[in-house]
Amino acid sequence: MAGALEIQEIQGLCASPGVAVGTVHLAVEVAADALPPGDSPAADREKLRRAVAAAIAELKALVGRSDEESAGILDFQIEMLLDPVLVEMAEERILAGDGAALAWVAALDHYIAGIEEAPDEQLRARAADVVDIRNRVLGALTGRAPEDFAPGSVFVGKDLQPSLFLAHDWTAGGGIVLFDGSIASHVAMLARSRSVPMIVATGRFEVADGARLLVDAKEGRVVIAPEEARIREAKSRMAEARPAEPPRAGGTIETADGVAIRLSAIINDPLEFGSIDPSLFAGIGLMRTEFLMTSPTDAFNEERHYEIYRQALRWAGDAPVIVRMLDLGGDKTLPDLGARKSESFMGLRGIRLLLARPELARLQARALLRATAHGRLGVLLPMVTVPDELDAMSTIFEEESAVLVRRGVQTRMPEIGMMVEVPAAALMLDRFSRSAFFSFGTNDLAQYLAAAARDDRSVAELYDAAAPAICRLIAGGVALADAMKRPVGICGEMASEPRHIPALLAAGLRNFSVAPNRLADIRSAIGGLYSDGLAAAEKS
Amino acid sequence: MDNRSRQQAPAAGDAQGYCQTEIEVTHGFGLHARPSVTFTRLAKSFPCTVEIEVNGSQVWLNGKSIVKIMGARIRRGSILKIRTRGLRAAEAIHALQALVERDFDEEKKHGRSA
């Protein structure tokens, strides 16, 4: 222990809960005035371009070693570096006589300052990503490797760049304390998904490199030179909190007359798991899988599918996760999936395409079957029109299950349900006896019902005006599903819009899948209504 | 500012194409990291020039530059004007407008939601 340090407590905000104890690693802050002076402008420009190219290559290599979430963050950095505007900003300064390193840092700092002034927290949080880009290129210019630090230590600094976080080995524990930082930053997202305790916004405080630090993140408290008793107390509080699953308080909300409404999350991309608190939702009501299509290698990679479904089930804990099979066709196909010129919303799409080109469906089915071992998995089939389609897909699952069993893989048959987005299906739910559950996809249901394409602005008004017709159709569908004793819910955008909630409640819906960023609005809308959709205020 | 280095369109159906549209950004987190990657990648896939103006600022930015777009600090509720000029201008503006309307596909390609 370096001298008798005074015990000191500092308060910040919790960006990722947990308790960490370790020695301080103080971040090195780049001093621009210590940078090497310039050569000739031409040589400096060349140096800078080479450094940017090297940084891009490094980032691409890092993407190759990263999971989807981290890759998405690094992708943004690559895209920024590929944009000639960034280098041009620095070149202006080189022409004015600055050396490459100084020009780069000055240009980027000016740009970062602009982002830091943004009115929007989400945007301000991106400043750390640009700092990351700045430092990586600077490292390439000056030959300095980015600073890593000893495993198990607590990083203390103004902010922490995502790539530093990703390069560090967190398996030995440790934590993060930032003078500035943001709960919305990429690094906070990463810390939450890797369970690294992290506190932000403490303001600047003095602490010696190597001092002992307690990070009691949930309380937002940093303790310098903590006493053993204090550490024990924090750790025991955490141990108590751990075994008990957090109550899914957010998973249901009661209407004014006490009817429970389930709220599940809509997930478009596994990147979201890091930033969304699972305890606020009754699981995942719709996980889209089209993000896998951004890369053909991912699309046809069974392991990639499996890993992502596992991630979703891990996130949801004991709550159900409903994964929608690839919903492609018409306006979006893989290059090698027989892309047709058809922009029609009524062509070979959804389950029609899956059954027409079953190799991709079979691969996805195998990954889903394997994932059933890790939680409560349901499978949702897109754009089902007739019962035969459901039967055909069930057969594919049975066949692939048999393949896996022959390979010695244990599987369970997941519950298979259907999206209700074709009017012909919505009217006939009683014919779909093999469907384990129903989920109304109102975005497409609206365009088919109103014969108004949702991507054609000239008929946007008609599309919007179809809401009452949709609610009448939903009410009929809910009655049929209730008679079959099958769960029925909604996963269209309507369910994320407070103005539609009264009519949807009146139609009898009790299971809503909502966009995570609309959760608070939807909760408060439902809380102020009776289960028949009338406002509590009107009834009193 | 403008990628004028791109070849001017040869005489073609919409070679003289010039289109402009106005749209409100409704994505919950404005136009930061991932949506801006999606937007600029789509813009770069067209041969015409793409420019955007935010909230009537009279400043037109290169819509293919993620650095410019990030710097424009677009947020939810911002009014975005998009203008395109040159080859496939009409197609580009239609595609970009649809992307904004679809909230940037939450950064991924699910061209249709539920």
Side-chain angles (χ1 to χ4, degrees), chain A residues 3-48:
Chain A
L5 273 172
E6 207 170 318
I7 300 171
Q8 201 189 339
E9 297 203 4
I10 297 111
Q11 193 65 37
L13 297 173
C14 174
S16 169
V19 173
V21 182
T23 51
V24 169
H25 166 82
L26 263 182
V28 184
E29 291 187 20
V30 181
D33 50 10
L35 295 172
D39 223 338
S40 69
D44 274 319
R45 281 171 66 175
E46 186 49 35
K47 250 193 269 182
L48 181 58

Side-chain angles (χ1 to χ4, degrees), chain A residues 159-222:
Chain A
D159 207 339
L160 173 59
Q161 290 73 58
S163 75
L164 268 184
F165 179 99
L166 289 170
H168 183 71
D169 175 9
W170 294 101
T171 50
I176 302 166
V177 178
L178 302 181
F179 304 146
D180 298 352
S182 158
I183 291 170
S185 69
H186 278 148
V187 82
M189 250 164 65
L190 291 168
R192 286 191 289 269
S193 60
R194 310 257 197 308
S195 301
V196 177
M198 174 171 169
I199 293 177
V200 298
T202 58
R204 201 165 273 281
F205 61 88
E206 289 300 318
V207 64
D209 209 24
R212 199 148 184 258
L213 211 61
L214 165 68
V215 182
D216 190 348
K218 195 151 190 239
E219 303 295 317
R221 200 161 301 137
V222 184

Side-chain angles (χ1 to χ4, degrees), chain A residues 75 79 83 85 111 114 117 119 122-123 126 268-269 271 288 290-291 327 332 349 421 441 443-444 454 457 491-493 517, chain B residues 22 28-29 32-34 37 41 44 65-68 70-71 73-75 94 97 101 106-114:
Chain A
D75 230 17
E79 204 66 21
D83 187 346
V85 171
Y111 182 75
E117 287 168 11
Q122 290 283 340
L123 186 49
R126 296 293 80 83
N268 298 316
D269 182 326
L271 277 174
R288 297 188 171 103
E290 291 75 40
F291 65 86
D327 187 9
K332 53 184 191 320
R349 330 184 40 184
E421 44 193 346
N443 304 0
D444 278 335
R454 47 190 273 210
R457 296 201 62 177
C491 60
E493 275 163 34
N517 58 354
Chain B
E22 185 171 298
F29 304 125
H32 60 274
R34 290 186 304 158
V37 172
R41 278 186 183 165
K44 284 194 283 190
S65 163
I66 191 166
V67 175
K68 293 281 184 201
M70 282 291 296
R73 308 193 312 208
I74 300 160
R75 57 199 294 211
H94 181 261
Q97 179 167 350
E101 280 168 352
E106 296 283 10
E107 124 89 357
K108 293 293 181 186
K109 283 194 170 118
H110 51 78
R112 54 196 293 245
S113 29

Side-chain angles (χ1 to χ4, degrees), chain A residues 74-354:
Chain A
L74 298 169
D75 230 17
F76 165 68
Q77 297 195 12
I78 291 170
E79 204 66 21
M80 291 284 285
L81 284 168
L82 286 171
D83 187 346
V85 171
L86 216 49
V87 175
E88 284 162 13
M89 293 193 306
E91 283 178 341
E92 279 176 24
R93 291 171 189 262
I94 288 175
L95 290 174
D98 281 350
L102 182 58
W104 174 254
V105 170
L108 272 276
D109 282 352
H110 178 72
Y111 182 75
I112 290 161
I115 292 181
E116 282 174 337
E117 287 168 11
D120 174 313
E121 167 79 2
Q122 290 283 340
L123 186 49
R124 277 199 302 275
R126 296 293 80 83
D129 296 273
V130 187
V131 171
D132 205 358
I133 294 169
R134 180 196 73 184
N135 293 355
R136 184 173 292 275
V137 173
L138 185 63
L141 275 171
T142 57
R144 263 205 313 257
E147 48 158 354
D148 193 15
F149 42 101
S153 45
V154 176
F155 178 98
V156 178
K158 183 168 174 288
D159 207 339
L160 173 59
Q161 290 73 58
S163 75
L164 268 184
F165 179 99
L166 289 170
H168 183 71
D169 175 9
W170 294 101
T171 50
I176 302 166
V177 178
L178 302 181
F179 304 146
D180 298 352
S182 158
I183 291 170
S185 69
H186 278 148
V187 82
M189 250 164 65
L190 291 168
R192 286 191 289 269
S193 60
R194 310 257 197 308
S195 301
V196 177
M198 174 171 169
I199 293 177
V200 298
T202 58
R204 201 165 273 281
F205 61 88
E206 289 300 318
V207 64
D209 209 24
R212 199 148 184 258
L213 211 61
L214 165 68
V215 182
D216 190 348
K218 195 151 190 239
E219 303 295 317
R221 200 161 301 137
V222 184
V223 186
I224 300 175
E227 291 167 306
E228 287 306 319
R230 180 79 176 72
I231 295 172
R232 275 199 304 277
E233 183 267 330
K235 285 189 170 167
S236 71
R237 228 183 324 112
M238 215 180 96
E240 276 166 28
R242 200 176 290 145
E245 273 286 305
R248 295 191 173 276
T252 55
I253 170 87
E254 285 193 358
T255 57
D257 51 338
V259 174
I261 306 295
R262 281 170 57 90
L263 297 172
S264 313
I266 294 179
I267 298 286
N268 298 316
D269 182 326
L271 277 174
E272 296 166 12
F273 293 132
S275 55
I276 302 169
D277 178 355
S279 69
L280 300 177
F281 294 93
I284 299 175
L286 169 66
M287 179 168 177
R288 297 188 171 103
T289 52
E290 291 75 40
F291 65 86
L292 284 155
M293 291 293 115
T294 48
S295 137
T297 48
D298 279 354
F300 289 100
N301 180 343
E302 185 184 323
E303 291 311 309
R304 185 89 193 92
H305 279 254
Y306 170 69
E307 179 47 43
I308 284 164
Y309 306 148
R310 264 189 63 176
Q311 218 181 346
L313 289 159
R314 235 191 341 256
W315 179 87
D318 54 0
V321 170
I322 294 175
V323 176
R324 184 173 73 187
M325 289 188 82
L326 285 162
D327 187 9
L328 304 169
D331 53 344
K332 53 184 191 320
T333 48
L334 271 182
D336 44 0
L337 253 189
R340 291 177 37 234
K341 279 281 176 222
S342 159
E343 280 285 330
S344 158
F345 280 102
M346 303 199 201
L348 198 62
R349 330 184 40 184
I351 193 160
R352 305 169 186 182
L353 184 64
L354 288 170

